[in-house]
Amino acid sequence: MDLKVLPVLQSNSSPEQQHHGSEPTCLGFGNESLNASPHVLKTTAALRRTLDDADDVRTCRHGTGRGAEQYNRKKNKMATGADHGLKRIVWKRIQDTIITDCRKSDVWKILILDPFTTKLLSTCCKMSDLMLEKITIVEDLYKKREPVPEMKAIYFMSPTTTCVDAFIADFKPKPKYKAAYVYFTDYCPDDLFNNMKRSCATYIRVCKEINLSFMPQEAQVFTCNNPGAFQSIYSPHSRDKTKTLETLADQLVTLCATLDEYPGIRYKKDGNMENAKAFAELVDKKLARHYELEEDSKKKEKTQAQLLIVDRGFDPVSPILHELTYQAMAYDLIDIQSDTYKYKAKDKSEKQALLNEDDLLWVKLRHKHIADVSELIRKLVKEISANKKQPDAKITISSLAEMMKKMPSFRKQVTEKTIHLQLAEDCMHHFSNNVEKLCKAEQDLALGSDVEGVKVKDSMRTLLPVLLHPYSTHDKIRAVLLYIFSVNGTTEENLNKLIQHVKIEEDQEFILNWKELGVPIITSPSFFSRKTSRRNRSQDETYNLSRWTPVIKDVMEDAVENKLDTKEWPHQSECPAAWNGSGAVSARQKQKNSAADERRTGSRLIVFVLGGISHSEMRCAYEVTQAVKSCEVIIGSSHILTPTSLLNDIKTLSKAPMETFTIEEKA
């Protein structure tokens, strides 16, 4: 097996560092368990040759032992729903691999992580979970650490030169720890493995690859934790496009391995872009290599899953529109970094809250329209107030704070409601200031029709009021882009006038660089129409300012109903029989009695977008899963984007990378 090396991916925030004797680092906030089948490991190819000079290294061959028996008993059971989200599947995988090995010893251990594995572990467990497993200290692989020679160390790291060198330094010339349990997120190349073998084999008790090089963001959303992939893939000056696609493919393969899926692969064909096709070929080869003949000489067959690959340019509208659903709106309008919402309390003190799936109210509200969110939060608070025999006055942040002062026991129940009441108020403040007026024009441009369903005959007349109003430059750029998308590119003369009107002569790359994604900005005689037929959703109940549906939802529903056009969506590898109609259920088909439930095959649809996904597209995975029920939709990308981050990435596409050089000092 000759998989590409996975580079260390930097986390967005530096973890707190711990040293022996200090308080343990709190890595995360999740504390859920998962009843999913354990996944048996593949031993590194190098380990199959054994460590000649280390008699005490234990190896685990793929598909054997008690874990394999449990897996075979449960392999037809699919993890769906809130109890079996990606984060819990990942934590279960870590428990069944790293933690299981650790349980064989009663000695307390140290866990050593690199930036990527720190962030990975933070998404799916917290320090108390590790403490229960006799892991007493969490350390940073790259930081200076005090030796603890009486303790064993668990190394969970990416298979890179930097990580392996740091590991070797812990045992040369003098060992910091009694022994090492080494776990790589992905395939470890032979040269790195042999370096470890030569340097410190006598200290290694276990060395395994566990195929976990993706980041579980939400129950049905994953990323590769690589925002820089956008520049690498789409910049005309990119020097590492091939390497980036290889790395993303390796990470996507580890997702499939973790889910124990061997999906059929299809990609969106685009006359201008070849990225989706090239990436589909890479993933197909790497999946085949991963699922090569195993020790029992039975090749793994395709599972009831389908993998769709699309370029970011396939839907430029969805990540640019102002969204009015809670999560998408909050991340667009509020400065939320690393999923942390910072705000000022009424006493002027700085507060912050983490917006993740441990906050059950967040999970309940995140995909709802902001109008529904505001009403629902107030209703919940009123219910608590009634239970506490509080007067039914107007619910405000101040009144909630006063109630918590009077009754400390009430604090826990109302704290999360206070956070979301504050966040919803922040969103509504932006909405009432300018977003409400923008939304009507944006929706009309995106859909090509108004609220009454009447076709927009002159898109420029829809755009002009936005340009004449004192909106922010960014908002005007978004509106101009939606106009250009709606008319499939404009003339160079018209574009120059728009750029001058918005006063972005120095920043016109915000608009011009979309061509690097295959999106037409200036029309030409040879241009072919990009307009795709959309599903008719005129009967759906929607808010007037939220009529647009991301294109990816049409794709998901068409895939589940086996309606994808084979010309537009060629097969890179054939899909299983269930995707020929026998196991597909229409997203519009009402679910019947238990007989329909019994027919569920537990199939999965995995969608991967090259170059980032928006929060509105993430929401579609949940909506289609909820409507279909017989198929779980999982969506992923290199990273999650916001309108601001996408525009900034677009602008820098045309910038050439800075030249780097080193100066050697003469002795």
Side-chain angles (χ1 to χ4, degrees):
M1 190 164 69
D2 183 26
L3 293 181
K4 194 78 177 175
V5 181
L6 173 72
V8 175
L9 300 173
Q10 298 300 320
S11 61
N12 292 333
S13 56
S14 299
E16 294 176 19
Q17 302 310 319
Q18 296 298 316
H19 300 280
H20 187 53
S22 60
E23 287 293 313
T25 304
C26 181
L27 282 178
F29 301 85
N31 192 23
E32 294 87 359
S33 60
L34 169 69
N35 296 319
S37 58
H39 297 261
V40 186
L41 302 176
K42 276 192 177 181
T43 309
T44 61
L47 267 176
R48 291 196 182 97
R49 298 192 295 273
T50 74
L51 286 168
D52 301 328
D53 51 351
D55 295 332
D56 54 354
V57 173
R58 299 194 306 276
T59 64
C60 170
R61 290 193 176 276
H62 183 61
T64 60
R66 189 161 58 101
E69 291 169 13
Q70 290 175 315
Y71 159 71
N72 288 329
R73 286 199 302 270
K74 299 181 182 180
K75 67 180 179 180
N76 291 321
K77 223 175 180 183
M78 190 193 80
T80 55
D83 291 337
H84 301 281
L86 281 177
K87 290 185 179 185
R88 298 185 191 183
I89 291 174
V90 168
W91 174 234
K92 180 66 175 173
R93 182 73 177 274
I94 291 170
Q95 284 180 307
D96 288 343
T97 55
I98 299 174
I99 302 299
T100 296
D101 284 344
C102 298
R103 288 195 189 117
K104 295 170 184 175
S105 170
D106 290 331
V107 182
W108 287 83
K109 296 180 182 68
I110 297 171
L111 179 62
I112 300 172
L113 306 170
D114 68 16
F116 177 80
T117 53
T118 297
K119 190 173 182 182
L120 173 62
L121 214 56
S122 296
T123 65
C124 58
C125 76
K126 59 184 180 181
M127 193 63 206
S128 57
D129 298 320
L130 300 175
M131 293 282 283
L132 289 172
E133 306 296 347
K134 294 189 178 295
I135 294 169
T136 184
I137 304 170
V138 177
E139 299 269 24
D140 187 321
L141 177 65
Y142 298 147
K143 294 295 174 72
K144 186 176 180 180
R145 289 167 270 116
E146 292 296 321
V148 193
E150 71 275 12
M151 295 185 75
K152 296 177 181 178
I154 304 162
Y155 288 82
F156 183 27
M157 59 190 185
S158 306
T160 65
T161 303
T162 315
C163 287
V164 170
D165 287 348
F167 168 77
I168 292 171
D170 282 354
F171 294 90
K172 287 288 183 181
K174 189 177 179 181
K176 275 190 171 74
Y177 309 108
K178 184 178 180 179
Y181 294 72
V182 182
Y183 300 87
F184 288 114
T185 56
D186 205 346
Y187 172 73
C188 181
D190 287 355
D191 59 334
L192 295 181
F193 180 84
N194 289 331
N195 195 12
M196 290 171 60
K197 174 181 171 181
R198 284 191 303 270
S199 303
C200 44
T202 54
Y203 299 104
I204 301 174
R205 295 291 179 269
V206 171
C207 186
K208 296 178 181 176
E209 301 158 329
I210 66 171
N211 293 310
L212 274 178
S213 58
F214 66 93
M215 198 67 66
Q217 293 291 143
E218 292 183 1
Q220 292 172 230
V221 180
F222 70 95
T223 73
C224 297
N225 194 39
N226 188 359
F230 186 88
Q231 295 293 326
S232 297
I233 295 171
Y234 295 111
S235 171
H237 306 290
S238 175
R239 298 172 180 172
D240 60 350
K241 179 175 178 176
T242 302
K243 181 181 177 182
T244 298
L245 291 176
E246 287 261 2
T247 300
L248 294 176
D250 285 333
Q251 292 175 280
L252 185 50
V253 167
T254 71
L255 171 88
C256 296
T258 299
L259 298 175
D260 196 46
E261 297 287 12
Y262 188 3
I265 302 172
R266 300 177 76 171
Y267 61 92
K268 179 69 171 75
K269 190 175 182 180
D270 190 326
N272 292 329
M273 308 295 287
E274 293 291 324
N275 296 323
K277 180 180 180 181
F279 188 68
E281 290 172 353
L282 271 175
V283 175
D284 189 33
K285 289 176 185 175
K286 289 177 182 291
L287 270 172
R289 193 180 302 147
H290 180 81
Y291 288 123
E292 277 176 348
L293 292 177
E294 297 175 1
E295 291 177 5
D296 58 2
S297 298
K298 289 183 180 178
K299 188 172 182 179
K300 184 176 177 70
E301 299 296 328
K302 293 277 188 179
T303 56
Q304 302 297 320
Q306 187 172 180
L307 170 61
L308 304 181
I309 294 167
V310 297
D311 249 311
R312 178 59 271 173
F314 87 108
D315 176 11
V317 173
S318 295
I320 292 298
L321 272 175
H322 278 90
E323 262 274 350
L324 299 182
T325 48
Y326 189 36
Q327 182 185 37
M329 191 178 187
Y331 277 81
D332 181 6
L333 304 179
I334 313 296
D335 185 23
I336 297 172
Q337 300 294 332
S338 302
D339 299 324
T340 302
Y341 167 52
K342 295 180 179 179
Y343 61 100
K344 279 190 176 181
K346 292 300 176 182
D347 61 1
K348 304 300 180 184
S349 61
E350 294 285 340
K351 300 278 187 180
Q352 62 181 45
L354 197 66
L355 302 176
N356 68 9
E357 291 179 320
D358 292 319
D359 181 344
L360 297 181
L361 185 55
W362 170 249
V363 174
K364 182 177 181 179
L365 298 175
R366 62 187 175 187
H367 298 144
K368 294 184 181 296
H369 193 278
I370 190 65
D372 298 331
V373 170
S374 301
E375 182 61 33
L376 188 55
I377 294 171
R378 284 175 168 77
K379 184 179 178 183
L380 290 170
V381 173
K382 282 185 177 181
E383 287 175 1
I384 296 175
S385 302
N387 293 337
K388 295 292 178 181
K389 296 183 171 57
Q390 292 296 305
D392 188 15
K394 185 181 178 183
I395 302 299
T396 64
I397 301 294
S398 300
S399 65
L400 289 176
E402 193 62 32
M403 290 164 70
M404 285 193 287
K405 283 181 187 175
K406 291 178 181 177
M407 292 179 295
S409 61
F410 182 58
R411 184 180 301 274
K412 188 175 181 181
Q413 297 178 54
V414 81
T415 296
E416 66 177 20
K417 279 83 176 178
T418 307
I419 291 165
H420 290 291
L421 189 59
Q422 179 72 60
L423 180 55
E425 283 185 1
D426 282 356
C427 289
M428 287 304 295
H429 174 72
H430 285 277
F431 176 75
S432 56
N433 276 359
N434 52 28
V435 174
E436 182 177 9
K437 294 173 185 175
L438 273 169
C439 282
K440 183 186 184 305
E442 289 185 352
Q443 292 289 314
D444 289 356
L445 287 170
L447 288 157
S449 59
D450 63 16
V451 175
E452 305 299 327
V454 178
K455 186 178 179 181
V456 174
K457 294 179 180 178
D458 186 354
S459 296
M460 183 57 76
R461 293 185 67 178
T462 304
L463 175 65
L464 273 176
V466 177
L467 300 183
L468 296 173
H469 193 277
Y471 292 118
S472 70
T473 301
H474 256 233
D475 283 341
K476 288 185 178 182
I477 290 171
R478 289 165 72 168
V480 168
L481 284 169
L482 290 171
Y483 161 76
I484 293 171
F485 300 156
S486 72
V487 295
N488 271 317
T490 186
T491 63
E492 192 166 354
E493 180 186 3
N494 194 32
L495 180 61
N496 289 333
K497 287 180 181 177
L498 290 170
I499 288 172
Q500 290 169 15
H501 198 96
V502 184
K503 298 178 181 177
I504 54 167
E505 289 89 346
E506 301 300 316
D507 296 317
Q508 54 188 303
E509 292 85 5
F510 278 126
I511 295 174
L512 297 178
N513 285 352
W514 281 88
K515 67 179 184 293
E516 306 298 347
L517 276 66
V519 179
I521 298 301
I522 297 174
T523 51
S524 65
S526 61
F527 172 70
F528 65 95
S529 176
R530 287 175 54 91
K531 284 283 185 182
T532 55
S533 58
R534 296 298 308 273
R535 285 191 172 226
N536 183 359
R537 299 183 186 273
S538 58
Q539 301 304 313
D540 295 354
E541 289 186 19
T542 58
Y543 286 88
N544 289 343
L545 301 183
S546 299
R547 290 172 285 133
W548 171 263
T549 300
V551 178
I552 202 70
K553 188 172 184 180
D554 287 2
V555 172
M556 291 170 179
E557 291 176 344
D558 286 348
V560 171
E561 296 173 15
N562 196 33
K563 291 180 179 177
L564 286 180
D565 188 327
T566 53
K567 290 182 180 178
E568 288 186 20
W569 293 88
H571 291 266
Q572 176 59 40
S573 62
E574 288 303 314
C575 298
W579 289 98
N580 294 329
S582 62
V585 180
S586 169
R588 288 172 175 69
Q589 179 179 327
K590 291 186 177 179
Q591 298 301 311
K592 299 180 181 178
N593 53 25
S594 58
D597 294 339
E598 290 171 6
R599 193 170 64 83
R600 294 176 187 174
T601 59
S603 55
R604 277 193 180 99
L605 173 64
I606 303 168
V607 180
F608 191 85
V609 183
L610 281 165
I613 46 172
S614 66
H615 290 91
S616 58
E617 290 167 330
M618 289 159 53
R619 184 185 73 245
C620 294
Y622 296 91
E623 291 174 345
V624 174
T625 300
Q626 184 61 33
V628 177
K629 292 186 172 64
S630 63
C631 177
E632 181 187 35
V633 182
I634 292 174
I635 189 168
S637 184
S638 50
H639 65 296
I640 296 169
L641 51 80
T642 63
T644 301
S645 70
L646 177 59
L647 284 176
N648 290 338
D649 281 341
I650 290 286
K651 182 185 176 184
T652 56
L653 280 179
S654 53
K655 289 186 179 179
M658 292 180 65
E659 294 291 335
T660 59
F661 59 92
T662 56
I663 300 174
E664 294 183 5
E665 294 184 9
K666 293 184 179 180

